[in-house]
Amino acid sequence: MATLAVSGERKNYLNAEYGIRSWLFTTDHKRIALLYLLSITAFFFIGGFAALLIRLELLTPAGDLLSADAYNKAFTMHGQVMVFFFLIPSIPAVLGNFLIPMMVGAKDLAFPRINLISWYIYIIAGILYIHCLVTGGVDTGWTFYPTFSTEFSNTKVIEAGLAIFVSGFSSILTGLNFVVTVHRMRAPGMTWSRLPLFVWSHYATSIIMLLGTPVIAITLVLVVLERALNLGIFDPTRGGDPVLFQHLFWFYSHPAVYIMILPSMAVISEIVPCFSRKRVFGYNFVAMSSIAIAAIGFLVWAHHMFVAGISLYSAIVFSFLSFLVAVPSAVKVFNWTATLYKGSISFSTPMLYAFGFIGLFTIGGLTGLFLASLGTDVHIHDTYFVIAHFHYVMVGGAVMGYLGGMHFWWPKISGRMYPEGWGRLAALIVFIGFNLTFFPQFILGYLGMPRRYWQYPPEYQVLNVLSTAGATILAVGYLLPMVYLLWSLRYGKPAPDNPWQATGLEWQTSSPPPTFNFDETPIVTQEAYEYENMPLPEEVTLER
Amino acid sequence: MSDSPIVMEHAEHEARPELRHHFADVEQQRNAASLGMWWFLGTEIMFFGGMFCAYLIYRRWYFEEFAAASRSLSLGIGTFNTTVLICSSLTVAMSVRAAQLGNRKLQVKMLLLTLVFGLSFIGIKGIEWHKKYTEHHIPTFDYNVISGEGSLVKGNEHLLGIDKVENDPVKLRERKVEIQQHTKIFYSLYFALTGMHAIHMIVGVGIFICITWMAHKGRFTPEYHTPLEIAGLYWHFVDIVWIYLFPLLYLIDRKPIS
Ligand code: HEM
Ligand SMILES: [Cu+2]
């Protein structure tokens, strides 16, 4: 084991074994996390390419770059790739996979082989989806609404449906692994109330994955059967009910938005106390708000269907419940802010992303409340306002958290420090680019520009040009970290075991960690976030 | 020093070859495996739940058509198959008991019986489906419940409200179209539900072939038979799904025997 290798180069999970086989057949959660990192990055590029097409088409009012059909395929591909192949696996499968066993003081996840299988399932799903793209693509939007998807679309709906069906099993298995690991693999002394909030949030995420994903799976099976065999279960002209599909779809897909945001909140809950040198304010509230989000998140799905013909009474109930689900999210925002209060704050790269997250998520969440109020939603449903709302939470929130987390744990993952100056610059560019891209879309939506059209009246052009310009800046902001993180693998300063003087167990082992994480099973005697009287090291503070 | 937890852990790892490296002891490994299976069964409930939900809604809307179509399913075969499946669950439970008692012969015997029951269920289900095929009751494969061999109208005129519109050819035709469409929803769900259940049965048989082989090799002892227990949980679950499917699909509104 690792202790034996004190003389010479210390063995870690990266240099323990070499060769492609040692990666493809690994059951080490840290290596599987890196496999996921590579694959979701590839999909991020594919989804990003589609976004580029969309923004270029919308640069001018006329439908000149893409045909209407090609545009439909572009936004469908963008949505499906980004949601199912990037954002849902992003933080859980990469950072969660890497960190959860270490954070609870275990040698690995409870089911290492199932963990590897989940990656292979993801890859199979990804290949299926790419096959679907290159043989023609889909044009139903990421939402697959019948009867368009089941009868009228002439594109590869069945292939896309099956690909996403398969990818669901990868997220179910990941969730299963996390839940069991948190229950059964905690080190001696690691009680529930000592768990880092990162783990609490991922626990809540996993429960949503486990209980929500099977519902989208069966819904997609029904769509595929309906389309392949012409059954009529979703066709109103034959006694079927298309609204039933929407209920089933959103029963998963609303909770799924919390699959995307909760892991990001997990990251923020680690970064904020560390760079304020304070115990997180109201640990219990933050932990329980994750569980509350998971629970209430299952009860609000019909707020996507206010104008789909559901009864007024159920609309009122769902509107009320949607207001309720914002409460635990707000609890988190208030607690992070209170953690900052009188903290000794340093503006390192991860913290910049955390600040970005808090601000943008707040805007995204509050506009969610606009949408959740019945009268307002009639006006802005299916407009760019909705697009702006969910990009504020999914890109401004979830992706910011992902980048913040990647920087925060990069020293642990790679054993190298990233260049701090470039990091801050990139964070700033991402923030500016993001707001320039998506803020105009709130206004566009409010003025009435509908989503999913490839051309628009000329009066909307100025705001669309701003948005496209912002998207270019955002792209630069995303490419930069990719470049300097790769650069740092070779040229970065070697990372100390605990560069931020952070408290989690993952920082007590070496950087990068040995294959079994700890030389000796740790014994926990403290609560999480004992930051008082633990100053940041000078290198970090000096750069303030 | 010799009884520190770490030294004890090493000792346990050496004594128990089935203990995987990342667990501290066998107890932890066993608890993890069974918790994992219970959560997995939770996801399975949600998986079938989506279809049950669709079933309940359409059944409420189109009760008459659902009832008529349900009457076309063979009560005898359904009941028999239910019994077969319950017996298979019993043999699974007995094989676990045999493992606890360390009786390898009984264990293998019970597992083989389980396989026989499981395969019979699938075979009988296949025969039933084939019957539906010949009756033109499989959606899109020449689906026809109005006339011919598989007519659901005959004998159900009152239930389906045919007797009320008999004298009005326009209304009669409309009603027949509705019956054709709405029973088709029933059969779509019938095949989706029983099909998904059958896929789970086939997976279960696959798993139990492995388990039987392991039992035959003497892998399961009174101290360690986690795989058998876990597989058993899965089998019981698939069984329970059928216990719900049977009344929901076969017993919607049976005619009193006259
Ligand atoms: C603070 C709580 C939130 C509330 C009250 C809320 C409310 C809503 C409502 C009412 C809609 C439907 C608008 C319409 O179609 O007319 C909506 C759409 C959406 N929301 Fe949220 N939301 C919240 C948080 C989030 C979060 C955290 C995410 C993602 C991480 C998210 C992602 C989405 C997406 C993707 C859509 C659009 C789906 C589509 O039609 O394509 N929301 N939201
Ligand atoms: Cu929603």
Side-chain angles (χ1 to χ4, degrees):
Chain A
M1 289 219 316
T3 33
L4 303 177
V6 181
S7 57
E9 195 189 9
R10 204 189 138 87
K11 279 282 177 207
N12 61 49
Y13 81 103
L14 290 171
N15 65 13
E17 276 179 285
Y18 291 99
I20 185 89
R21 287 174 58 90
S22 78
W23 285 90
L24 291 182
F25 296 106
T26 181
T27 52
D28 180 352
H29 65 103
K30 299 181 286 306
R31 287 189 162 211
I32 295 170
L34 292 194
L35 292 176
Y36 263 116
L37 176 63
L38 284 180
S39 19
I40 68 164
T41 308
F43 275 102
F44 186 68
F45 273 110
I46 298 176
F49 173 70
L52 179 79
L53 290 181
I54 295 171
R55 281 322 318 166
L56 283 179
E57 168 57 54
L58 295 179
L59 198 55
T60 58
D64 33 23
L65 178 66
L66 300 175
S67 67
D69 282 335
Y71 182 79
N72 290 350
K73 287 181 182 174
F75 72 68
T76 303
M77 157 166 135
H78 171 68
Q80 289 176 338
V81 168
M82 286 303 198
V83 169
F84 296 109
F85 293 98
F86 172 68
L87 212 45
I88 285 185
S90 64
I91 299 183
V94 178
L95 293 173
N97 229 336
F98 195 95
L99 294 165
I100 287 175
M102 275 192 265
M103 285 184 165
V104 303
K107 292 198 183 95
D108 205 322
L109 286 172
F111 310 118
R113 278 178 296 194
I114 288 184
N115 196 17
L116 182 64
I117 291 172
S118 93
W119 180 73
Y120 276 104
I121 293 177
Y122 171 85
I123 291 298
I124 291 170
I127 291 172
L128 279 175
Y129 192 80
I130 290 177
H131 177 262
C132 156
L133 285 185
V134 295
T135 55
V138 226
D139 65 352
T140 60
W142 77 285
T143 46
F144 283 105
Y145 274 20
T147 46
F148 182 67
S149 64
T150 49
E151 281 171 50
F152 300 107
S153 170
N154 291 319
T155 54
K156 305 263 172 178
V157 181
I158 293 181
E159 287 83 340
L162 287 178
I164 291 167
F165 171 81
V166 174
S167 82
F169 288 94
S170 124
S171 83
I172 288 178
L173 294 181
T174 304
L176 189 71
N177 235 328
F178 288 175
V179 168
V180 176
T181 304
V182 175
H183 272 281
R184 295 284 184 243
M185 309 291 285
R186 283 170 287 128
M190 181 53 93
T191 59
W192 284 88
S193 57
R194 286 176 184 166
L195 283 176
L197 291 167
F198 185 93
V199 177
W200 270 107
S201 239
H202 273 82
Y203 182 74
T205 310
S206 308
I207 289 178
I208 305 177
M209 285 173 162
L210 284 171
L211 299 183
T213 318
V215 179
I216 188 94
I218 193 62
T219 311
L220 290 174
V221 168
L222 291 179
V223 166
V224 166
L225 289 177
E226 167 101 349
R227 187 177 167 89
L229 303 176
N230 191 21
L231 297 180
I233 40 181
F234 295 133
D235 180 356
T237 63
R238 287 182 280 166
D241 184 9
V243 178
L244 174 66
F245 167 87
Q246 297 185 21
H247 278 295
L248 292 173
F249 179 83
W250 290 113
F251 182 86
Y252 163 77
S253 293
H254 182 81
V257 308
Y258 292 108
I259 296 180
M260 300 180 243
I261 200 70
L262 272 167
S264 216
M265 295 170 157
V267 170
I268 305 305
S269 298
E270 298 299 311
I271 295 177
V272 167
C274 176
F275 292 101
S276 330
R277 310 318 292 172
K278 270 188 69 192
R279 172 176 292 184
V280 76
F281 181 84
Y283 173 94
N284 288 331
F285 277 88
V286 183
M288 283 307 137
S289 64
S290 298
I291 306 295
I293 287 176
I296 308 173
F298 272 110
L299 305 176
V300 303
W301 74 87
H303 66 207
H304 296 272
M305 304 161 56
F306 285 152
V307 299
I310 58 174
S311 90
L312 180 61
Y313 299 104
S314 65
I316 290 173
V317 171
F318 277 106
S319 172
F320 172 75
L321 286 167
S322 304
F323 276 85
L324 208 60
V325 78
V327 173
S329 305
V331 166
K332 282 187 194 278
V333 171
F334 288 131
N335 279 300
W336 293 322
T337 321
T339 308
L340 297 172
Y341 180 66
K342 291 202 170 156
S344 116
I345 296 170
S346 53
F347 294 90
S348 311
T349 310
M351 192 60 162
L352 293 183
Y353 281 110
F355 282 136
F357 175 98
I358 295 175
L360 300 179
F361 174 71
T362 305
I363 297 179
L366 288 176
T367 51
L369 295 181
F370 295 17
L371 293 166
S373 18
L374 294 179
T376 325
D377 188 58
V378 175
H379 177 55
I380 47 187
H381 173 70
D382 263 350
T383 69
Y384 265 81
F385 194 92
V386 177
I387 307 290
H389 153 66
F390 69 72
H391 282 87
Y392 263 77
V393 265
M394 291 172 34
V395 183
V399 180
M400 282 265 181
Y402 173 67
L403 287 175
M406 282 311 291
H407 284 83
F408 188 55
W409 282 289
W410 187 251
K412 186 56 62 183
I413 294 172
S414 69
R416 299 288 180 152
M417 300 303 288
Y418 59 84
E420 180 67 29
W422 283 103
R424 291 183 197 185
L425 180 68
L428 195 68
I429 294 177
V430 166
F431 186 79
I432 294 171
F434 173 82
N435 281 296
L436 192 57
T437 312
F438 292 106
F439 199 82
Q441 298 187 2
F442 277 129
I443 307 171
L444 279 171
Y446 187 76
L447 294 177
M449 177 164 163
R451 65 194 284 197
R452 293 181 173 170
Y453 282 84
W454 86 122
Q455 54 186 12
Y456 53 83
E459 59 262 35
Y460 294 139
Q461 190 173 13
V462 175
L463 289 165
N464 271 301
V465 170
L466 283 181
S467 181
T468 300
T472 333
I473 300 178
L474 189 58
V476 174
Y478 285 151
L479 285 174
L480 265 181
M482 244 171 270
V483 174
Y484 66 71
L485 288 180
L486 284 176
W487 173 90
S488 78
L489 285 181
R490 214 185 158 96
Y491 304 103
K493 268 189 302 187
D497 291 351
N498 190 355
W500 321 119
Q501 293 303 309
T503 55
L505 286 180
E506 78 272 24
W507 299 107
Q508 290 178 19
T509 182
S510 49
S511 298
T515 300
F516 295 133
N517 297 339
F518 302 98
D519 296 340
E520 270 182 34
T521 307
I523 294 174
V524 183
T525 54
Q526 277 192 328
E527 292 188 1
Y529 312 115
E530 285 290 351
Y531 276 113
E532 262 85 311
N533 307 322
M534 213 175 140
L536 263 186
E538 240 166 46
E539 308 95 83
V540 182
T541 31
L542 278 182
E543 283 177 19
R544 245 200 265 180
Chain B
M1 184 60 204
S2 65
D3 53 354
S4 85
I6 289 154
V7 175
M8 275 166 39
E9 204 183 305
H10 279 299
E12 175 137 14
H13 273 273
E14 257 154 50
R16 306 294 293 272
E18 73 271 9
L19 180 57
R20 310 255 348 261
H21 68 85
H22 58 295
F23 290 108
D25 52 38
V26 180
E27 184 64 16
Q28 189 189 30
Q29 173 165 340
R30 206 184 102 123
N31 284 338
S34 83
L35 183 68
M37 187 40 102
W38 278 105
W39 267 104
F40 180 73
L41 298 183
T43 72
E44 290 276 26
I45 290 178
M46 298 305 286
F47 186 80
F48 281 98
M51 277 187 292
F52 277 121
C53 169
Y55 167 87
L56 288 175
I57 287 166
Y58 290 128
R59 171 185 160 140
R60 221 180 91 83
W61 285 2
Y62 308 130
F63 182 80
E64 293 78 18
E65 289 89 338
F66 268 47
S70 160
R71 285 175 184 178
S72 81
L73 302 175
S74 162
L75 191 57
I77 299 186
T79 314
F80 182 71
N81 238 353
T82 309
T83 321
V84 169
L85 214 47
I86 292 176
C87 289
S88 78
S89 258
L90 179 69
T91 52
V92 168
M94 285 171 74
S95 74
V96 175
R97 184 72 193 141
Q100 284 167 352
L101 297 174
N103 185 342
R104 174 139 69 100
K105 269 225 181 89
L106 183 62
Q107 216 190 112
V108 175
K109 217 184 281 168
M110 285 301 144
L111 286 172
L112 286 174
L113 266 178
T114 308
L115 286 176
V116 170
F117 285 133
L119 288 169
S120 323
F121 178 91
I122 297 168
I124 294 169
K125 199 76 225 159
I127 294 170
E128 233 185 319
W129 281 338
H130 183 258
K131 200 167 142 247
K132 290 278 111 186
Y133 176 74
T134 55
E135 289 171 347
H136 299 284
H137 283 176
I138 299 187
T140 63
F141 293 91
D142 264 340
Y143 185 73
N144 182 359
V145 294
I146 301 300
S147 55
E149 212 182 321
S151 167
L152 294 181
V153 177
K154 248 180 283 146
N156 290 324
E157 288 87 355
H158 182 64
L159 173 71
L160 290 170
I162 296 278
D163 50 358
K164 280 194 224 102
V165 289
E166 233 157 9
N167 300 325
D168 184 338
V170 179
K171 281 205 173 131
L172 184 64
R173 197 170 333 112
E174 274 174 8
R175 182 68 192 131
K176 282 186 172 167
V177 170
E178 270 177 21
I179 292 171
Q180 170 90 352
Q181 289 176 342
H182 299 168
T183 52
K184 195 169 165 189
I185 293 182
F186 173 85
Y187 283 116
S188 300
L189 291 169
Y190 167 80
F191 283 105
L193 280 160
T194 57
M196 275 298 159
H197 180 261
I199 291 177
H200 280 77
M201 285 294 298
I202 292 168
V203 171
V205 166
I207 294 173
F208 268 80
I209 289 176
C210 302
I211 293 286
T212 312
W213 179 249
M214 286 163 85
H216 170 70
K217 287 272 160 194
R219 294 275 189 82
F220 303 134
T221 57
E223 294 82 41
Y224 174 76
H225 46 272
T226 314
L228 174 58
E229 258 183 275
I230 303 289
L233 278 179
Y234 174 84
W235 191 274
H236 294 316
F237 172 82
V238 177
D239 190 355
I240 289 173
V241 170
W242 179 258
I243 301 292
Y244 280 89
L245 286 181
F246 176 60
L248 286 180
L249 296 171
Y250 288 73
L251 306 179
I252 293 181
D253 185 33
R254 284 282 162 181
K255 270 179 290 194
I257 302 156
S258 50

